[in-house]
Amino acid sequence: FYYYFYQDGTIEVEVKHTGIVNTSTDTDTRYSTAIGNGEHLRAQMHQHFYSLRIDPIIDGKENKVVEVNARAEDDDKNPYRNAFIAEETTLKTELQAQRDINPDTARYWKMQSTQRKNRFGNPTGWKIVPHRNCFAYAKHDSWLMRRATFLRHHLWVTPYVDDFHELYPAGYYPYQSNGSLDNGLADITAHDRDVCEKDIVVWYTFGMHH
């Protein structure tokens, strides 16, 4: 993991993958890529995912998350057909805050203070800008997705609780779980608690596919 701190306040997180590919002698070319001279020496297609847990205290503990989506302006206000707008939606509860990336609307999220404004009259905050990312392709009822329910969405927001039970996105022991007992984000957010003007935790899921 590489963290870059820029003079304008930007914090960039970069993950670099190194290592040796997992090979097999798979004869079905739909699941793997040929990597050697041998007819059936192949590397399996797979994905890597990470969960970034952000505990923002932006000018105090009373924060919120706002989703921003761009779209073309309505026809009656768009005579030249080239205008577009950014629409903001405050994510008020845990279930409402289960969100996914959307390149079609250039979607991003803002973590904001509900108490302080900057010199332009806007809430102080930080912007989450998705870069390279993908969706998990495993079915939601698979063993994998029952173990790691945080993979269901790219963004989650929970109220801060000083409790070990809400510290890990995949629960306590994902490697020893058969998926029947979920202590991850899906279970944590099931009560649909208020996350607006609260001390919040923001979880961002990101990964790659190759």
Side-chain angles (χ1 to χ4, degrees), residues 170-191:
Y172 320 132
Y173 308 110
Y175 290 115
Q176 300 178 30
S177 169
N178 62 7
S180 61
L181 179 60
D182 175 28
N183 294 311
L185 277 172
D187 185 56
I188 292 171
T189 59
H191 297 293

Side-chain angles (χ1 to χ4, degrees), residues 145-197:
M145 295 295 278
R146 294 200 308 269
R147 280 179 165 182
T149 57
F150 72 93
L151 297 180
R152 296 177 185 175
H153 298 287
H154 295 110
L155 187 84
W156 306 73
V157 184
T158 60
Y160 176 82
V161 177
D162 187 13
D163 186 343
F164 175 81
H165 294 78
E166 299 197 13
L167 191 58
Y168 303 107
Y172 320 132
Y173 308 110
Y175 290 115
Q176 300 178 30
S177 169
N178 62 7
S180 61
L181 179 60
D182 175 28
N183 294 311
L185 277 172
D187 185 56
I188 292 171
T189 59
H191 297 293
D192 199 22
R193 295 167 294 184
D194 186 7
V195 292
C196 184
E197 299 188 46

Side-chain angles (χ1 to χ4, degrees), residues 1-198:
F1 285 79
Y2 294 80
Y3 294 85
Y4 304 93
F5 298 89
Y6 297 94
Q7 292 183 357
D8 64 354
T10 299
I11 302 174
E12 181 182 359
V13 181
E14 181 182 20
V15 180
K16 297 181 180 181
H17 296 86
T18 62
I20 301 173
V21 295
N22 184 29
T23 59
S24 70
T25 56
D26 192 359
T27 57
D28 192 332
T29 59
R30 296 178 300 169
Y31 307 121
S32 55
T33 302
I35 60 170
N37 294 328
E39 181 180 357
H40 300 307
L41 182 59
R42 311 186 67 84
Q44 300 165 353
M45 290 189 296
H46 60 279
Q47 297 181 288
H48 302 263
F49 284 99
Y50 309 92
S51 179
L52 186 64
R53 182 182 186 271
I54 306 170
D55 184 3
I57 302 179
I58 302 173
D59 286 329
K61 292 185 177 181
E62 295 184 6
N63 294 169
K64 66 178 180 179
V65 175
V66 174
E67 180 176 284
V68 183
N69 292 282
R71 69 170 180 84
E73 178 59 286
D74 296 332
D75 289 346
D76 60 338
K77 301 175 184 178
N78 192 7
Y80 299 104
R81 299 295 192 266
N82 61 355
F84 49 90
I85 60 175
E87 295 182 319
E88 297 191 357
T89 303
T90 298
L91 307 177
K92 297 182 178 180
T93 69
E94 289 178 295
L95 295 183
Q96 187 182 5
Q98 295 178 5
R99 307 296 296 165
D100 295 313
I101 58 172
N102 186 358
D104 289 339
T105 63
R107 178 174 294 167
Y108 64 88
W109 298 279
K110 295 188 290 188
M111 302 177 293
Q112 295 181 328
S113 168
T114 61
Q115 303 298 312
R116 297 287 298 275
K117 296 184 182 297
N118 58 29
R119 63 192 178 96
F120 300 106
N122 299 317
T124 55
W126 292 79
K127 179 179 177 180
I128 299 176
V129 183
H131 287 280
R132 181 177 179 179
N133 207 338
C134 62
F135 290 86
Y137 296 123
K139 299 293 186 179
H140 279 197
D141 59 353
S142 66
W143 194 336
L144 163 66
M145 295 295 278
R146 294 200 308 269
R147 280 179 165 182
T149 57
F150 72 93
L151 297 180
R152 296 177 185 175
H153 298 287
H154 295 110
L155 187 84
W156 306 73
V157 184
T158 60
Y160 176 82
V161 177
D162 187 13
D163 186 343
F164 175 81
H165 294 78
E166 299 197 13
L167 191 58
Y168 303 107
Y172 320 132
Y173 308 110
Y175 290 115
Q176 300 178 30
S177 169
N178 62 7
S180 61
L181 179 60
D182 175 28
N183 294 311
L185 277 172
D187 185 56
I188 292 171
T189 59
H191 297 293
D192 199 22
R193 295 167 294 184
D194 186 7
V195 292
C196 184
E197 299 188 46
K198 301 289 184 181

